[in-house]
C-alpha cells in the first residue's frame, strides 16, 4: 500500500488513493461499503468518503451508476481504468506535458533515453 | 433615442416608476409585520416598477417603427400594457418554469417502486397536514441537497447523494422539513427572494436573510414536532454541512 501511495501522491490525495485501491479490489462498491472497509483501518468520516468519490468521478477516474434496489436508489461506484491502465494514463499525460513544455528537446531526450 | 430622453412625458413616466420602486422597497423594509401575501405583492410590484423603465425604453424604440406617432397618450398606454404583459409572462410564468426545468432535467427517471418508502412517507404526512401530495424528484447529483418548490404543483427535490449519506430517520427528518416549507408556503417566498436578489440592486440593503432563516427554523421545528426529537434533523444537517466543509477543504 505504501509503495502505491508514493507513486500517486503527486496526483491524488492519500484518501483518494485509499478509496481507489479499494475500488480496484472490489470492482464495484457503494459509498457505505467503502466507508465500512476504510473505517476499520483508519479514522474517516462517511461524508469524507462521499466527497472523495464525487471528486474521483469529476476527475474521470471512477464512474458511477444509479442502482435500483429494494431499499431504494443508490450510487454504485466503479473504477474506469484498472491499475495498469491508470498508471499508463499518468505516464502519457506527463510525457505529453514534457513535450508541450520543452518541445524538440524533450523528444530528442526521449529518443536518446529509449534507444539505449 | 435622444427624442425619448427629451420628452418630458416619457422621462416623467420613467422617473415616477423608479421613485415608486424605491417607495415600495422602503415600505417592505419598514413594515416587517406585513402579511405573507402583502409582502410578496409589494416585492413583485417593486421589481416591476424597477424593470419597467428599461422594458418601456427598449419597446418604445421598436414602437417608432410600428406606429406613425408614438408620442400620443393612447399609444404609450398600449406600450404600458405590452410591458406589463411581457413582465408578467417572464416574471410569473417563464421565470419559475425555467428554474424548475433546470432541476427536472437532472431528475432520475424511475418507477415509483424504487422510491416507494419516500413516496409513502410523504403521502402519509401530506394527508395528515391536509396539503396536496407533493411529487418527489430524485436528482442525479452526489452533493447532499434537498429543497421544495410549489409552482402549479408541489415538488420535493432530493439528491441521490443525500440518500447515500443519511440514514432513514435522517432522510425522513429532511422530508418533513420540506413538507414544513410547503405547508408554510415558504418555497414561493424563497423563490421570490432569490428573484428579488437577482433583479434589485437594493437587495443588499434588505433583511430577507433573517426572514429566510426564520423560515428554516420553522421547517426544522415542524420536523422536530412530528418526530418528537431533534436528533435526526441535527445529525442530517451536520452531515450535509460536513460534506460541503470537507469538499471546500480539498478543492
Amino acid at each position: 500500500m505504501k509503495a502505491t501511495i508514493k507513486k500517486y501522491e503527486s496526483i491524488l490525495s492519500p484518501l483518494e488513493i485509499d478509496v481507489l485501491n479499494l475500488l480496484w479490489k472490489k470492482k464495484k462498491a457503494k459509498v457505505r461499503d467503502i466507508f465500512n472497509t476504510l473505517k476499520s483501518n483508519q479514522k474517516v468520516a462517511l461524508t469524507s468518503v462521499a466527497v472523495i468519490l464525487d471528486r474521483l468521478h469529476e476527475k474521470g477516474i471512477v464512474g458511477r451508476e444509479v442502482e435500483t434496489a429494494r431499499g431504494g436508489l443508490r450510487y454504485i461506484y466503479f473504477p474506469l481504468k484498472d491499475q495498469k491502465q491508470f498508471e499508463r494514463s499518468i505516464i502519457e499525460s506527463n510525457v505529453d506535458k514534457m513535450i508541450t513544455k520543452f518541445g524538440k528537446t524533450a523528444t530528442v531526450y526521449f529518443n536518446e533515453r529509449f534507444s539505449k | 433615442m435622444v427624442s425619448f430622453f427629451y420628452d418630458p412625458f416619457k422621462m416623467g413616466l420613467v422617473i415616477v416608476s423608479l421613485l415608486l420602486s424605491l417607495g415600495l422597497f422602503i415600505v417592505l423594509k419598514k413594515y416587517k409585520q406585513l402579511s405573507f401575501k402583502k409582502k410578496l405583492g409589494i416585492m413583485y410590484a417593486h421589481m416591476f416598477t424597477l424593470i419597467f423603465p428599461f422594458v418601456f425604453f427598449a419597446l418604445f424604440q421598436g414602437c417608432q417603427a410600428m406606429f406613425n406617432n408614438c408620442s400620443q397618450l393612447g399609444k404609450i398606454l398600449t406600450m404600458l400594457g405590452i410591458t406589463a404583459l411581457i413582465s408578467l409572462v417572464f416574471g410569473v410564468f417563464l421565470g419559475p418554469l425555467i428554474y424548475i426545468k433546470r432541476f427536472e432535467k437532472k431528475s432520475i427517471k424511475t418507477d415509483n417502486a424504487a422510491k416507494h418508502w419516500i413516496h409513502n412517507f410523504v403521502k402519509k404526512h401530506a394527508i395528515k397536514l391536509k396539503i396536496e401530495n407533493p411529487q418527489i424528484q430524485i436528482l442525479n447529483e452526489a452533493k447532499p441537497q434537498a429543497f421544495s418548490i410549489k409552482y402549479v404543483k408541489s415538488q420535493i427535490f432530493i439528491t441521490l447523494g443525500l440518500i447515500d449519506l443519511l440514514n432513514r430517520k435522517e432522510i425522513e427528518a429532511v422530508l418533513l422539513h420540506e413538507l414544513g416549507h410547503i405547508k408554510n408556503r415558504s418555497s414561493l417566498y424563497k423563490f421570490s427572494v432569490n428573484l428579488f436578489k437577482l433583479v434589485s440592486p437594493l437587495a443588499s440593503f434588505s433583511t430577507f436573510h433573517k426572514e429566510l432563516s426564520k423560515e428554516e427554523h420553522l421547517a426544522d421545528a415542524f420536523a422536530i414536532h412530528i418526530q418528537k426529537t431533534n436528533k435526526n434533523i441535527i445529525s442530517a444537517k451536520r452531515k450535509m454541512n460536513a460534506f460541503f466543509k470537507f469538499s471546500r477543504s480539498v478543492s
Side-chain angles (χ1 to χ4, degrees):
Chain A
M1 183 80 101
K2 276 201 171 164
T4 318
I5 288 176
K6 279 217 160 185
K7 265 199 282 185
Y8 305 145
E9 67 185 358
S10 60
I11 309 133
L12 302 171
S13 73
L15 191 54
E16 282 177 324
I17 296 165
D18 290 343
V19 169
L20 193 57
N21 269 321
L22 269 177
L23 276 177
W24 278 327
K25 269 187 207 161
K26 288 178 182 273
K27 310 276 184 222
K28 271 183 175 190
K30 291 176 277 183
V31 180
R32 277 179 194 273
D33 294 338
I34 303 267
F35 166 69
N36 288 332
T37 315
L38 282 177
K39 79 171 180 186
S40 54
N41 299 320
Q42 57 183 287
K43 203 181 163 196
V44 67
L46 175 66
T47 46
S48 309
V49 175
V51 170
I52 293 300
L53 281 165
D54 192 33
R55 271 173 64 91
L56 289 172
H57 176 257
E58 278 172 12
K59 286 180 181 178
I61 299 170
V62 307
R64 70 178 173 217
E65 58 192 30
V66 179
E67 189 194 62
T68 309
R70 232 183 84 235
L73 300 164
R74 62 183 61 121
Y75 277 132
I76 299 285
Y77 288 89
F78 52 90
L80 286 173
K81 288 169 184 162
D82 64 28
Q83 195 164 351
K84 272 192 182 168
Q85 287 172 323
F86 178 67
E87 287 178 1
R88 212 186 142 87
S89 69
I90 295 170
I91 297 165
E92 250 174 32
S93 86
N94 280 323
V95 169
D96 285 348
K97 268 184 209 164
M98 292 294 203
I99 293 170
T100 317
K101 212 171 176 182
F102 300 106
K104 211 177 169 184
T105 316
T107 32
V108 169
Y109 172 80
F110 287 131
N111 275 334
E112 282 172 7
R113 180 75 192 258
F114 298 118
S115 60
K116 273 179 194 172
Chain B
M1 188 191 278
V2 176
S3 66
F4 184 92
F5 292 110
Y6 280 102
D7 186 324
F9 180 75
K10 287 169 215 157
M11 277 314 287
L13 213 60
V14 166
I15 292 165
V16 167
S17 183
L18 290 174
L19 284 176
L20 203 61
S21 179
L22 185 68
L24 287 163
F25 178 78
I26 293 168
V27 171
L28 209 55
K29 201 166 159 54
K30 208 172 172 186
Y31 300 98
K32 292 189 175 97
Q33 302 310 317
L34 284 172
S35 73
F36 174 79
K37 273 187 183 171
K38 277 182 187 161
K39 265 187 195 170
L40 273 189
I42 295 172
M43 203 187 286
Y44 278 96
H46 163 76
M47 288 191 277
F48 176 78
T49 46
L50 194 67
I51 295 169
F52 171 73
F54 300 100
V55 181
F56 180 60
F57 173 72
L59 283 177
F60 194 82
Q61 297 305 304
C63 154
Q64 284 174 330
M66 278 158 58
F67 303 112
N68 291 331
N69 186 0
C70 264
S71 60
Q72 285 174 23
L73 183 65
K75 277 147 194 179
I76 289 174
L77 287 176
T78 311
M79 297 313 293
L80 261 171
I82 295 172
T83 311
L85 191 71
I86 289 175
S87 304
L88 193 77
V89 167
F90 277 94
V92 181
F93 300 109
L94 285 180
L97 210 64
I98 293 166
Y99 182 74
I100 293 168
K101 287 283 167 207
R102 212 169 52 136
F103 293 112
E104 280 183 347
K105 255 193 218 169
K106 277 187 159 186
S107 178
I108 298 166
K109 302 284 170 270
T110 177
D111 56 347
N112 286 346
K115 37 187 181 181
H116 62 96
W117 76 264
I118 295 178
H119 268 284
N120 292 347
F121 180 83
V122 169
K123 194 178 172 184
K124 186 180 111 187
H125 287 280
I127 293 168
K128 268 190 194 170
L129 288 168
K130 292 177 184 144
I131 57 170
E132 174 205 358
N133 183 24
Q135 198 180 345
I136 307 292
Q137 303 271 13
I138 297 177
L139 305 180
N140 192 354
E141 169 65 59
K143 288 163 189 71
Q145 284 167 323
F147 54 93
S148 51
I149 295 169
K150 188 173 184 336
Y151 181 71
V152 186
K153 60 185 176 193
S154 303
Q155 293 189 83
I156 293 179
F157 293 82
I158 57 168
T159 63
L160 197 45
L162 184 124
I163 296 174
D164 268 350
L165 213 57
L166 307 188
N167 65 35
R168 186 154 173 164
K169 282 282 165 199
E170 290 164 344
I171 297 171
E172 285 178 1
V174 170
L175 293 170
L176 287 168
H177 173 102
E178 294 310 325
L179 279 170
H181 275 313
I182 291 172
K183 185 164 171 64
N184 297 334
R185 292 181 300 175
S186 44
S187 61
L188 176 63
Y189 190 65
K190 275 164 89 176
F191 170 80
S192 306
V193 169
N194 284 331
L195 189 68
F196 175 74
K197 281 181 187 165
L198 200 74
V199 169
S200 176
L202 297 172
S204 51
F205 300 105
S206 69
T207 51
F208 289 122
H209 60 280
K210 280 184 194 164
E211 294 182 35
L212 285 179
S213 110
K214 198 176 133 194
E215 292 292 334
E216 288 304 312
H217 284 306
L218 278 174
D220 281 351
F222 177 74
I224 294 164
H225 171 73
I226 303 285
Q227 289 195 321
K228 296 185 176 60
T229 174
N230 61 3
K231 194 180 86 182
N232 301 316
I233 193 76
I234 288 175
S235 62
K237 285 194 168 189
R238 195 179 289 147
K239 280 184 185 173
M240 287 158 88
N241 289 337
F243 181 98
F244 291 106
K245 199 177 165 190
F246 185 70
S247 190
R248 279 193 298 271
S249 75
V250 290
S251 59

